[in-house]
């Protein structure tokens, strides 16, 4: 999807920036306050897992589809996870149809990095026949309404969809034929990495920027924090720059905010006793 | 197909604290920078760091094509990061991958804060980065090379942009990851900054850092950046001393 240039009136930009310099925001939030989050899971019955996440007026939908495929040559004993993001033209007057542009690709890759780095999905348990057949888990995330901070909305949608997804236990016969059983089990998920995006406006950092704040920002920083309180993905975006102090402040802020957000997410599935492949 | 296999090392850091290529944890690979190596480009730079070989070229400020992309109040900056097919062990398709599209974007955003784009309305500055050989840390090598090429093109800059990666291998925070450390290490964090201004213009990471490790890694990146910055300056100075000699010799 390509994007035409979005604009914000100078008056509004000025108002917004001067408010933030006084520690206030145009929508009344605190600088470190997230918009209300709602998460609606399993909204698409035909998907293996799905979630609609809204952060205020920003809405993303993610769906999980699983199929049996071949592993990558360098990881013969691991399942495959593929995250894709697209901006739909119905989501914003500035989105146009077409293949994913650099912004959509960036979001998909940042979300993917957070999930991969914290080893959220135990890919080894998704191996069916080593070197030959594995589960391939596709997560596609679509922004439905863009009102700022699509990274976090998409990251939370992908995570929520994965947390609620179910795949069937597979049965492998002596001659390596694969059958699907009637028993459906949750994906082997062991972490919930939460992305926290902050925008730098003037000399302040604001959490979860809305669209007008994004249009006024110098740059943004996304820190993905996992259950252990470690940082498992970082992405700076936008034209401006950050100081060392900005970054250190952002780390403290992200650690704090990520805990609140995590409490809104579906719980981790109990997976210890699950056998994904039976003989 | 000729396959040259790479062997996964048993460990990345040995009992003497040395890495697979014999470096200490806080040591850079050898760096070589040549300025003005391409005749057609307005500015260019060839940079080697370890086995990475990177060519960067700058064209502009020049007219924008297609025209509708031009901005009335400033120049646009366009950036393409590209790996040539023979730069890696297994041939890479020459088409831009999703990785290259993302890197082109973050590299552009890393360079843009250094430029006075408002000096050149309705024009474009095009930066092309070709990775001729890749061995871990190509985006950072590309940024350091592109900044030198921009300076060589005579484009006004607030500061050079200097980049290096830090990461984690066998539990140690390390500077300037090579390909093995990037692949088999626990974490990787490329950082770019304008060293004199203390402004960080690119920050990415994957892998896992505790907040303490994250801070330690950032500080190590600062140290590496200061060292690379000295090499960039020295290369630019060398180039322009040579230009001066040529000019004065011809009088």
């Amino acid at each position: 999807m390509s994007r035409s240039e979005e604009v914000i009136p100078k008056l509004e930009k000025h108002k917004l920036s001067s408010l933030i310099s006084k520690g206030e925001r145009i929508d009344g939030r605190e600088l470190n306050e997230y918009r209300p989050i709602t998460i609606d899971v399993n909204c698409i019955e035909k998907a293996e897992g799905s979630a609609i996440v809204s952060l205020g007026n920003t809405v993303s939908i993610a769906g999980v589809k699983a199929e049996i495929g071949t592993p990558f040559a360098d990881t013969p004993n691991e399942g495959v996870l593929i995250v894709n993001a697209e901006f739909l033209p119905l989501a914003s007057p500035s989105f146009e149809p077409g293949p994913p542009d650099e912004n959509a690709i960036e979001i998909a890759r940042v979300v993917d990095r957070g999930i991969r780095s914290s080893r959220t999905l135990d890919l080894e348990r998704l191996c069916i026949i080593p070197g030959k057949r594995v589960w391939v888990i596709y997560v596609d995330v679509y922004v439905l309404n863009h009102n700022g901070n699509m990274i976090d909305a998409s990251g939370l949608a992908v995570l929520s969809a994965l947390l609620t997804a179910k795949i069937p236990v597979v049965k492998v016969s002596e001659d390596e034929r694969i059958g699907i059983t009637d028993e459906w089990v949750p994906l082997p998920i062991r972490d919930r990495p939460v992305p926290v995006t902050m925008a730098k406006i003037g000399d302040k950092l604001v959490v979860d920027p809305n669209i007008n704040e994004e249009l006024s920002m110098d740059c943004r920083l996304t820190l993905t924090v996992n259950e252990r309180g470690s940082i498992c993905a970082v992405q700076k975006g936008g034209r401006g720059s950050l100081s060392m102090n900005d970054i250190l402040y952002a780390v403290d802020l992200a650690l704090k905010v990520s805990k609140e957000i995590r409490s809104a997410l579906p719980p981790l599935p109990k997976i210890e006793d699950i056998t994904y492949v039976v003989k | 197909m000729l396959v040259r296999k790479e062997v996964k090392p048993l460990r990345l850091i040995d009992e003497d604290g040395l890495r697979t290529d014999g470096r200490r944890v806080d040591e850079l690979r050898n760096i070589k920078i040549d300025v003005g190596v391409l005749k057609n480009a307005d500015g260019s730079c060839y940079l080697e760091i370890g086995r990475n070989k990177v060519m960067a070229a700058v064209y502009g400020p020049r007219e924008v094509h297609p025209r509708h992309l031009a901005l009335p109040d400033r120049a646009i900056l366009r950036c393409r990061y590209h790996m040539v097919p023979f730069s890696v062990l297994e041939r890479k398709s020459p088409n831009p991958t999703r990785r290259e599209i993302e890197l082109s974007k973050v590299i552009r955003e890393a360079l843009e804060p250094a430029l006075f784009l408002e000096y050149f309305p309705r024009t474009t500055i095009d930066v092309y980065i070709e990775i001729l050989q890749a061995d871990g840390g190509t985006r950072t090598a590309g940024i350091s090379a592109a900044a030198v090429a921009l300076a060589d093109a005579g484009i006004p800059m607030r500061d050079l942009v200097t980049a290096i990666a830090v990461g984690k291998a066998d539990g140690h925070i390390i500077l300037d990851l090579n390909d093995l450390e990037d692949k088999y290490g626990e974490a990787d964090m490329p950082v770019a900054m304008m060293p004199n201004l203390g402004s960080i213009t690119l920050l990415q990471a994957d892998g896992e850092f505790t907040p303490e490790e994250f801070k330690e890694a950032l500080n190590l990146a600062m140290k590496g950046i200061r060292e690379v910055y000295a090499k960039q300056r020295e290369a630019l100075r060398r180039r322009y001393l040579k230009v001066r000699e040529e000019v004065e010799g011809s009088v």
Side-chain angles (χ1 to χ4, degrees), chain A residues 172-247:
Chain A
V172 179
S173 67
E174 286 281 314
D175 56 347
E176 296 196 332
R177 277 212 302 245
I178 297 171
I180 303 284
T181 68
D182 288 336
E183 191 190 350
W184 288 69
V185 289
L187 285 171
I189 294 179
R190 47 193 179 184
D191 204 336
R192 292 178 298 171
V194 169
V196 181
T197 296
M198 292 149 280
K200 187 180 178 189
I201 300 176
D203 58 353
K204 295 275 198 307
L205 284 175
V206 302
V207 169
D208 181 30
N210 66 29
I211 191 163
N212 283 339
E213 289 169 334
E214 279 186 350
L215 291 172
S216 313
M217 71 185 180
D218 300 318
C219 62
R220 64 170 151 77
L221 181 67
T222 304
L223 296 172
T224 305
V225 183
N226 66 13
E227 304 253 357
R228 292 180 290 283
S230 287
I231 295 158
C232 57
V234 177
Q235 182 87 343
K236 174 247 167 192
R239 291 198 190 107
S241 60
L242 297 158
S243 70
M244 189 71 167
N245 281 339
D246 292 333
I247 294 170

Side-chain angles (χ1 to χ4, degrees), chain A residues 106 109 113 236 239 242, chain B residues 102 105 112 200-201 204:
Chain A
E106 183 188 25
R109 287 180 53 88
R113 227 175 276 156
K236 174 247 167 192
R239 291 198 190 107
L242 297 158
Chain B
E102 186 211 336
K105 175 179 189 283
E112 197 166 333
I200 292 161
T201 64
Q204 295 184 285

